[in-house]
């Protein structure tokens, strides 16, 4: 049986040295308050690594370290993790490690380690200084752009494969080419644009003022896409564009939000708790704990399977009949809180933006489909 998954491991849970205004994970710190415990214990780390190998049906095994801010676990934690990975590595298997960081704690020692161990690094950067510093601030409210750029420059110095993750909010989404040109000036080869959606059910708009406007999000993607097609194909890789192109070759989406079903990107917290999804770390979606049930058992559990299948089974008719369904598949269930034009619940808040963008890029995708073997 093939088992496709990517675990978001949270070695320090929600602990972070920043206090970004839009962070959805900071309040998870109330779930894990063990005094004196700064990160996942060595015993649990080894148990997790063993179980991860046992659950893998692909011989390329990806370990994804997330937070909070995962570098707070310290370099020694990751040195130990790699030592354990090598100790338990099955014959013929290959290890890939990725870490998502805010970049503020990176130094020469960190970047030498990341380079030597071939880590893939995602670094959060929301554009030039005035755009980045609006939301991404320290726990004391201080701007972080300069220190993040220092971290990014060190990653470049040591030739660490890195991807910029940019959260698009109600402000920076209005400046697509400014953002894109800035990232190109940094010689960024990999970019991901993440739309900010913070639901506030009792508010007039239903979302926070900082949330991206759906139409603005669609226009952002269109303007960047047109620039990318004109100048940067083969030089810059942008995740949402690659996902759209998958449909030209009848390939399955790799990004969970666009897959037909979900549930393949669960969370393992620092105490071994297993949650259905990074956006659903709450008691209702606590599936179990790897101290009591194996990782494979949790991935294959009826509860996790039901969570994944609900994405498709709850699609409103408006989505099922949509001309860009194969590109979107309703996107992330966490954003499905508005009504369709005919009043059916469960439409994605970002739907107008995705329809704009995916219809815009469809001719390009169809052209790829024609020339593909």
């Amino acid at each position: 049986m093939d088992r496709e998954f990517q675990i978001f491991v949270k070695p320090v849970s929600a602990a972070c040295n920043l206090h970004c205004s839009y962070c959805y994970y900071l309040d998870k710190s109330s779930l894990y308050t063990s005094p004196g415990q700064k990160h996942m214990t060595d015993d649990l780390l080894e148990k997790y690594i063993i179980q991860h190998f046992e659950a893998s049906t692909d011989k390329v095994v990806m370990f994804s370290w997330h937070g909070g801010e995962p570098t707070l676990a310290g370099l020694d934690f990751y040195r130990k993790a790699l030592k354990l990975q090598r100790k338990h590595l099955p014959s013929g298997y290959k290890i890939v490690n990725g870490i998502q960081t805010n970049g503020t704690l990176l130094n020469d020692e960190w970047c030498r380690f990341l380079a030597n161990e071939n880590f893939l690094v995602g670094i959060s950067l929301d554009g030039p200084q005035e755009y980045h510093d609006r939301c991404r601030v320290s726990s004391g409210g201080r701007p972080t752009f300069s220190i993040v750029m220092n971290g990014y420059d060190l990653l470049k110095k040591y030739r660490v494969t890195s991807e910029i993750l940019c959260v698009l909010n109600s402000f920076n989404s209005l400046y697509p080419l400014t953002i894109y040109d800035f990232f190109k000036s940094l010689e960024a080869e990999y970019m991901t644009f993440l739309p900010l959606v913070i639901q506030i059910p009792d508010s007039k708009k239903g979302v926070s003022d900082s949330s991206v406007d759906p139409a603005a999000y669609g226009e952002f993607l269109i303007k960047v896409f047109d620039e990318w097609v004109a100048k940067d194909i083969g030089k810059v890789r942008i995740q949402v564009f690659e996902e759209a192109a998958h449909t030209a070759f009848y390939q399955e989406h790799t990004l969970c939000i666009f897959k037909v079903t979900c549930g393949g990107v669960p969370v393992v917290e620092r105490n071994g708790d297993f949650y259905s999804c990074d956006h659903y770390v709450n008691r209702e979606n606590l599936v179990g704990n790897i101290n009591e049930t194996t990782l494979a058992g949790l991935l294959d559990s009826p509860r996790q399977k039901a969570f994944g299948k609900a994405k498709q089974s709850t699609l409103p008719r408006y989505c099922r009949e949509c001309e860009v369904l194969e590109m979107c598949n309703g996107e992330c269930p966490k954003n499905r809180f508005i009504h369709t034009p005919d009043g059916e619940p469960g439409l994605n808040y970002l739907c107008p933006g995705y329809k704009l963008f995916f219809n815009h890029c469809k001719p390009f995708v169809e052209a790829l489909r024609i020339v593909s073997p």
Side-chain angles (χ1 to χ4, degrees):
M1 176 187 67
D2 287 337
R3 186 184 291 116
E4 184 181 347
F5 65 91
Q6 180 185 4
I7 307 293
F8 280 6
V9 195
K10 308 277 187 173
V12 297
S13 188
C16 189
N17 60 323
L18 300 192
H19 202 288
C20 303
S21 60
Y22 53 63
C23 182
Y24 63 89
Y25 215 80
L26 277 176
D27 63 355
K28 310 303 179 187
S29 57
S30 62
L31 297 171
Y32 300 98
T33 57
S34 304
Q37 184 180 341
K38 294 184 178 180
H39 55 68
M40 183 180 282
T41 65
D42 294 349
D43 288 345
L44 183 59
L45 174 63
E46 184 165 22
K47 181 177 291 187
Y48 163 67
I49 288 170
I50 292 170
Q51 291 188 17
H52 192 127
F53 283 131
E54 290 175 344
S56 296
T57 57
D58 190 327
K59 290 194 173 183
V60 178
V61 183
M62 177 75 179
F63 290 87
S64 301
W65 306 97
H66 278 245
E69 175 47 46
T71 59
L72 287 172
L75 258 177
D76 285 344
F77 175 87
Y78 293 99
R79 291 188 179 110
K80 190 167 298 180
L82 266 69
K83 184 177 180 181
L84 291 169
Q85 288 173 359
R86 289 169 183 141
K87 174 183 175 182
H88 297 289
L89 178 66
S91 176
Y93 280 59
K94 179 184 177 182
I95 301 165
V96 178
N97 280 281
I99 190 168
Q100 175 58 41
T101 179
N102 60 39
T104 61
L105 300 178
L106 297 178
N107 55 27
D108 284 279
E109 186 181 16
W110 260 109
C111 290
R112 272 194 299 269
F113 168 80
L114 295 170
N116 290 339
E117 300 298 346
N118 297 310
F119 265 68
L120 306 176
V121 178
I123 184 166
S124 298
L125 184 62
D126 286 355
Q129 185 163 7
E130 67 173 299
Y131 303 84
H132 177 91
D133 284 342
R134 286 178 74 95
C135 299
R136 300 194 64 81
V137 296
S138 71
S139 55
R142 295 181 296 277
T144 63
F145 177 80
S146 296
I147 193 167
V148 173
M149 285 304 304
N150 180 68
Y152 179 80
D153 289 341
L154 285 170
L155 291 172
K156 296 291 287 184
K157 173 184 173 182
Y158 287 94
R159 299 184 179 180
V160 177
T161 301
S162 55
E163 177 179 22
I164 291 177
L165 273 71
C166 173
V167 175
L168 295 178
N169 54 57
S170 58
F171 177 69
N172 65 354
S173 61
L174 303 178
Y175 304 93
L177 296 186
T178 300
I179 300 289
Y180 184 50
D181 287 344
F182 172 68
F183 290 157
K184 287 202 295 181
S185 75
L186 301 180
E187 299 179 344
E189 296 178 46
Y190 301 92
M191 305 177 198
T192 289
F193 297 108
L194 303 172
L196 177 63
V197 181
I198 301 175
Q199 183 185 12
I200 303 179
D202 297 330
S203 68
K204 186 175 181 180
K205 295 195 304 182
V207 296
S208 68
D209 289 339
S210 60
S211 294
V212 70
D213 176 76
Y217 176 53
E219 291 295 338
F220 180 100
L221 294 179
I222 287 170
K223 286 185 169 60
V224 173
F225 178 79
D226 288 347
E227 184 78 357
W228 175 78
V229 168
K231 301 177 181 178
D232 301 314
I233 291 178
K235 295 186 288 185
V236 177
R237 296 180 63 174
I238 299 175
Q239 191 176 55
V240 67
F241 301 167
E242 294 197 339
E243 291 296 323
H246 282 320
T247 61
F249 308 107
Y250 305 99
Q251 298 170 336
E252 185 180 354
H253 288 290
T254 56
L255 190 60
C256 65
I257 61 172
F258 296 134
K259 285 180 176 287
V260 174
T261 59
C262 60
V265 190
V267 164
V268 170
E269 262 287 351
R270 73 177 191 189
N271 72 335
D273 281 349
F274 177 104
Y275 291 90
S276 294
C277 169
D278 187 54
H279 290 286
Y280 290 86
V281 175
N282 50 51
R283 291 304 175 195
E284 293 74 27
N285 289 283
L286 174 60
V287 180
N289 188 289
I290 66 169
N291 285 304
E292 300 160 0
T293 307
T294 65
L295 189 57
L298 292 165
L299 288 163
D300 296 340
S301 67
R303 186 169 179 183
Q304 185 66 5
K305 293 295 186 183
F307 175 87
K309 290 177 181 176
K311 176 178 181 180
Q312 183 181 31
S313 64
T314 58
L315 269 180
R317 187 179 66 179
Y318 182 79
C319 293
R320 296 195 303 271
E321 297 175 352
C322 179
E323 68 276 11
V324 294
L325 174 62
E326 66 173 346
M327 292 180 168
C328 173
N329 287 306
E331 208 243 8
C332 184
K334 81 175 181 67
N335 295 329
R336 295 185 188 173
F337 52 81
I338 64 172
H339 288 75
T340 66
D342 58 0
E344 190 177 358
L347 183 64
N348 197 297
Y349 166 79
L350 294 168
C351 174
Y354 279 122
K355 289 192 81 167
L356 275 174
F357 169 66
F358 286 132
N359 275 305
H360 179 82
C361 73
K362 257 187 126 177
F364 174 84
V365 171
E366 291 301 324
L368 289 179
R369 183 171 287 168
I370 291 169
V371 300
S372 65

